[in-house]
Amino acid sequence: MNNIQILQSNHLNIYLHTPRRHSLNKQHCSFIFCQINKHILSSSFSSSKLIPKAAMTSSSSVMRKLQVVSPVPSDIDIANSVQPIHISEIAKNLNLTPNHYDLYGKYKAKVLLSVLDELEESKDGYYVVVGGITPTPLGEGKSTTTVGLCQALGAFLDKKVVTCVRQPSQGPTFGIKGGAAGGGYSQVIPMDEFNLHLTGDIHAITAANNLLAAAIDTRIFHESTQSDKALFNRLCPPNKEGKRSFSDVMFRRLKKLGISKTNPDDLTPEEVNKFARLDINPDSITWRRVMDINDRFLRKISVGQGPDEKGMVRETGFDISVASEIMAVLALTTSLADMRERLGKMVIGNSRSGDPVTADDLGVGGALTVLMKDAIHPTLMQTLEGTPVLVHAGPFANIAHGNSSIVADKIALKLVGPGGFVVTEAGFGADIGTEKFMNIKCRYSGLKPQCAIIVATIRALKMHGGGPAVVAGKPLDHAYLTENVGLVEAGCVNLERHILNSKAYGVNVIVAINKFSTDTEAELNAVRKAALDAGAYDAVICSHHAHGGRGAVDLGIAVQKACENVTQPLKFLYPLDLGIKEKIEAIAKSYGASGVEFSEQAEKQIEMYSKQGFSGLPICMAKTQYSFSDNAASKGAPTGFILPIRDVRASIGAGFIYPLVGTMSTMPGLPTRPCFYDIDLDTTTGKVIGLS
């Protein structure tokens, strides 16, 4: 067989193994054979090598062909069955040299931000965001679809592609949800490293967050036991020559206070008082300690009970690490300098006179940046089929904004270049993840997506149509395992609202129907018809969980067409100059609410943040992911409900106001039977087993 025949055979193999090949239309066939001709015309063949390295596309030279089996094995078994490619080869395919990254073992590397500077003049590729319908507690395969689509684009459609996903928290990994590396034959590997420590970013966030928490209580303690003079003398101690000086971070507080003096000895007693005494109101403190484990017993605690704290007991609590504002800062920052500014501007509470107190007021902004200096670099990994992945940041979707980092997306868009694709995932349903992606992340990044994908499953649509409750850890009801087109059609109201909301941003919307083995053709066709009737650009049935990238080729073709045919500019749901209440009401309206009810505490906080000059920030709703409303049991597309706002908090450094909707908790708890029951180590091979 000659070289041309081999290329033709390879692409014919794609055609023969493409899902629903019996329904491939003329466009699909034309696309496939155009790819054959492109390789024939562009390659320089030699007798010694079938496909010279120089002739390969950047995506194809390290692609791995999967040997899929049925039934699909467990995620960890699939991940352990594949030998990852050395990460230097993945980097090389992106035209990255060793100067552009730091290795973290064989299969992970930190891509340095200097890449952005070098590629500043390069044009971006296409930008695709993946959201979903309102999920069941089991998840609908959004991460799996994100990975499967990228495998299809890179390994089968010869496109430059980078997957951008969040780093998962250990809370869900050991709790009830499991990991977030994708699933089946569409995963990020090494799966165990992805779901556990990775390169330590979440640990860095935990350390930085808790350093700030310690600084708050320590400052209150010392201010309560010292005079202004003693406090000032300790903050600005004389050196060996008897001269005092301000540290660099102190000049930030001096500037905030309007004091232009640079010599500590020149401050008046009044200025000494203003500078040295933060006078933090303990009741106003919003900064809590964090840990990356689900632990319900830390939701409310008291600190200061030791004998040396002199009775300074204060009630506080823990959040999960990925709910920390520092995580949100990491995800929304655009550079190291920007991250330093954002960390310093984080507000931890107010003084007794009502002024916001920041991390820089406490003198800790620089130290936080030092702890985060390595975490700002995205981590390069790979999919099962060898396509590149950038893993970075992991803010909780229902508590924070639920998107991976701006810097990872920007680096990826430059690396793939014109005609390439960056696919990024937005957490939970489109009412949470995609809404925050558009109105928060895109505002700060300046990037515009061309296509928004909504992942749907028959299982979730049946639930929204009135099916029995879906409970993690319990077998699915018979209704989810047998055909019921009526139940599916009734549940499509949820899908339709997500389509309408996503289209309003000016992007083309594609519905990816994640096919399970129990789904019937009639049910799948019902979803496709409902999606198209609701205005979706296309609706595609996918089998990437069972077949890898081969099962998402149709989706890849649809995404390419959607990106090439965008006609509208990016539109936001609300302008930033609206008041805090008005912006909250605009988002609530997109949920289907007829109004918003603000608690007395929420009213008080809104008034304070407006007075402090923070009303121009975007809104990040902290809401249940299981319903458009605040009631997780309210399925489908509820309307006419009143959305209750229990409290309103601010992440000033990250750059958003976040209302707490209903009883939303910032520290999840463990179920009766957590995932950790199944997780262990094979002490013979050293491989992790039981991760899901």
Side-chain angles (χ1 to χ4, degrees), residues 130-133 140-142 145-146 453-457 510-514:
V130 180
I133 62 172
E140 309 319 309
K142 199 165 61 280
T145 301
T146 301
I453 294 173
I454 298 174
V455 179
T457 62
I510 291 178
V511 174
I513 308 167
N514 187 15

Side-chain angles (χ1 to χ4, degrees), residues 307-323:
D308 295 331
E309 278 59 68
K310 301 180 181 179
M312 293 190 59
V313 177
R314 180 173 71 85
E315 189 176 273
T316 180
F318 274 74
D319 294 335
I320 194 164
S321 295
V322 290

Side-chain angles (χ1 to χ4, degrees), residues 347-604:
V347 173
I348 59 88
N350 302 314
S351 67
R352 295 184 190 275
S353 59
D355 296 320
V357 178
T358 68
D360 273 344
D361 288 329
L362 286 157
V364 74
L368 301 181
T369 309
V370 169
L371 286 171
M372 294 293 294
K373 69 180 181 65
D374 295 322
I376 195 173
H377 304 295
T379 300
L380 180 65
M381 297 187 76
Q382 62 191 282
T383 68
L384 284 168
E385 296 189 72
T387 59
V389 180
L390 285 179
V391 185
H392 203 212
F396 251 32
N398 52 353
I399 298 170
H401 63 85
N403 285 271
S404 60
S405 77
I406 287 174
V407 293
D409 289 0
K410 284 193 167 187
I411 289 172
L413 286 165
K414 297 298 184 186
L415 290 176
V416 300
F421 293 83
V422 171
V423 183
T424 187
E425 179 193 353
F428 288 132
D431 59 317
I432 294 180
T434 303
E435 183 271 309
K436 295 173 183 179
F437 171 86
M438 300 293 186
N439 291 306
I440 300 176
K441 186 175 179 180
C442 288
R443 283 187 196 271
Y444 286 119
S445 71
L447 300 173
K448 178 194 183 302
Q450 288 78 36
C451 176
I453 294 173
I454 298 174
V455 179
T457 62
I458 299 298
R459 176 180 67 197
L461 292 170
K462 284 182 175 179
M463 179 190 71
H464 287 296
V470 176
V471 181
K474 292 185 178 181
L476 283 172
D477 188 272
H478 184 69
Y480 297 104
L481 306 175
T482 55
E483 182 174 283
N484 191 327
V485 176
L487 205 57
V488 173
E489 290 174 336
C492 281
V493 293
N494 184 272
L495 172 62
E496 290 161 3
R497 181 174 292 172
H498 284 298
I499 292 171
L500 293 174
N501 285 350
S502 299
K503 281 187 65 180
Y505 296 111
V507 298
N508 285 330
V509 176
I510 291 178
V511 174
I513 308 167
N514 187 15
K515 184 180 184 298
F516 291 4
S517 61
T518 53
D519 300 339
T520 69
E521 187 172 352
E523 291 173 330
L524 295 166
N525 288 337
V527 179
R528 190 169 190 278
K529 180 180 185 304
L532 295 174
D533 289 346
Y537 186 85
D538 203 348
V540 183
I541 299 167
C542 311
S543 62
H544 43 274
H545 183 274
H547 302 111
R550 177 163 55 88
V553 168
D554 285 355
L555 179 61
I557 293 170
V559 165
Q560 180 178 353
K561 185 178 177 183
C563 288
E564 292 171 346
N565 289 280
V566 173
T567 58
Q568 299 182 61
L570 179 62
K571 303 171 187 175
F572 297 118
L573 185 58
Y574 51 81
L576 290 180
D577 57 7
L578 279 183
I580 294 174
K581 277 189 174 182
E582 288 73 20
K583 285 182 280 200
I584 293 172
E585 288 164 354
I587 297 172
K589 185 178 179 181
S590 74
Y591 297 158
S594 59
V596 178
E597 181 179 81
F598 296 93
S599 71
E600 183 179 343
Q601 172 67 11
E603 293 273 10
K604 177 183 174 183

Side-chain angles (χ1 to χ4, degrees), residues 209-224:
N209 184 101
N210 293 341
L211 174 62
L212 180 51
I216 295 166
D217 288 311
T218 298
R219 186 58 172 265
I220 295 173
F221 172 78
H222 287 306
E223 286 191 22
S224 72

